[in-house]
Amino acid sequence: MMPGPTTDSSERARTNVLAARTGRWLTAHPVLGYVLLAYLLSWPVWVLAHATGSFALVVLGGFGPAGAAAVTLRLTGRPLRPWLRGLLAWRVRPRFYAYALLLPAAVYGVVNLTMQALGADVNWSLLPARVPGYLVNLVLTAALLGGLEEPGWRGYALPRLQERHTPFVATTLLGLAWGVWHVPLYGPAGFVVPLVLAFFYTWLFNRTGSVLMCVLLHGSFTAAQDGLLLTPDSMTVDAVILGTYLLAAGAVLVLTRGRLGAPVPQAEAPPTIDPITGTRTP
């Protein structure tokens, strides 16, 4: 027996009420709601991926952060176009491209040199053969894989966190959320590296406003992690990698005085001295 029009109307009404209530809650909790939704969209898919051994499901789960941002914006009545615009922001200074594309390679150069200084067998002759695979991995990650998380983490969540918190606190909160999101893939300690790497992304996003640059940085880090380590992996190597990440992130914090590329609020701007009169102006 087919349901009648009254049943259909009741179902639509309940759906509309649920959507309205969800939208109001997300409006009041835009970042928390987004993070929970990103987990909800990704984790069940990854559980199924572990059960079936399907790499395609691993990839599909990676779209959770971007999907969560789109759903959150939709339910809260916000337009999608301004959010997507960051993916097209390619007109930035060449030095930001250099940062996005070369920083991870430089970090792994330091890791390899450190391991050599510690007496490990670092096979530099592997590097020419690794470069083509590194470049392919970079492009694939940026275009199809982990790089497409960035419209969610940096394109949606980071600006909203920085509206209420300092760049350091906002990055720490986002890095923790981003890291915990990886736990089903990498285990209980899988949150640590994303938490540290988040500081490199915040500086780049704050200086450029470009999600595209963050996508390229994501691709570069993944490709470097997978292809530019020239010594066998070990606990010592993992410790050196993490230590190098921490030192580099600390350097970014120190050099930016904790602002991570964000402009200094007008109230915090130091007074200037008129070169002619010598008077100080606020």
Side-chain angles (χ1 to χ4, degrees):
M1 181 177 179
M2 296 294 292
T6 302
T7 303
D8 291 342
S9 299
S10 299
E11 289 294 335
R12 284 196 297 269
R14 282 194 290 268
T15 300
N16 291 337
V17 168
L18 178 60
R21 288 178 177 175
T22 304
R24 286 195 295 270
W25 189 85
L26 288 172
T27 299
H29 308 87
V31 178
L32 176 60
Y34 160 76
V35 171
L36 293 176
L37 185 56
Y39 292 175
L40 182 63
L41 292 178
S42 297
W43 284 4
V45 178
W46 285 338
V47 170
L48 187 58
H50 281 299
T52 62
S54 171
F55 179 71
L57 289 176
V58 174
V59 174
L60 181 62
F63 287 89
V71 170
T72 302
L73 288 168
R74 189 75 174 180
L75 290 176
T76 55
R78 303 294 180 86
L80 297 181
R81 185 173 295 179
W83 167 63
L84 292 171
R85 195 173 294 138
L87 278 172
L88 304 177
W90 61 272
R91 292 183 177 178
V92 302
R93 294 180 179 180
R95 62 193 177 106
F96 297 120
Y97 278 98
Y99 177 96
L101 295 173
L102 301 180
L103 173 66
V107 167
Y108 274 82
V110 172
V111 169
N112 287 314
L113 288 170
T114 303
M115 292 306 303
Q116 188 170 45
L118 293 174
D121 181 19
V122 178
N123 189 351
W124 295 96
S125 66
L126 294 173
L127 189 57
R130 295 277 185 89
V131 169
Y134 163 81
L135 294 174
V136 170
N137 193 356
L138 192 161
V139 172
L140 285 177
T141 301
L144 298 172
L145 303 175
L148 296 183
E149 301 167 23
E150 295 308 319
W153 301 123
R154 254 56 63 170
Y156 175 86
L158 181 59
R160 286 161 176 80
L161 282 170
Q162 290 191 122
E163 288 174 359
R164 296 191 173 189
H165 305 285
T166 65
F168 174 80
V169 172
T171 302
T172 301
L173 292 173
L174 180 60
L176 186 59
W178 183 35
V180 172
W181 179 78
H182 284 85
V183 165
L185 289 179
Y186 302 128
F191 73 93
V192 176
V193 168
L195 173 59
V196 178
L197 295 186
F199 290 89
F200 301 112
Y201 289 83
T202 295
W203 182 86
L204 183 61
F205 179 80
N206 282 341
R207 291 305 307 273
T208 64
S210 172
V211 176
L212 176 61
M213 291 297 103
C214 295
V215 169
L216 294 179
L217 182 61
H218 199 131
S220 297
F221 263 121
T222 298
Q225 290 168 352
D226 292 346
L228 296 185
L229 182 64
L230 304 178
T231 187
D233 196 10
S234 66
M235 292 293 291
T236 302
V237 170
D238 291 343
V240 169
I241 291 173
L242 180 58
T244 305
Y245 284 161
L246 286 168
L247 288 173
V252 171
L253 277 169
V254 170
L255 291 173
T256 64
R257 298 181 180 180
R259 296 298 307 172
L260 294 171
V264 178
Q266 190 65 34
E268 297 180 16
T272 58
I273 299 177
D274 189 293
I276 297 176
T277 64
T279 58
R280 294 166 65 87
T281 58

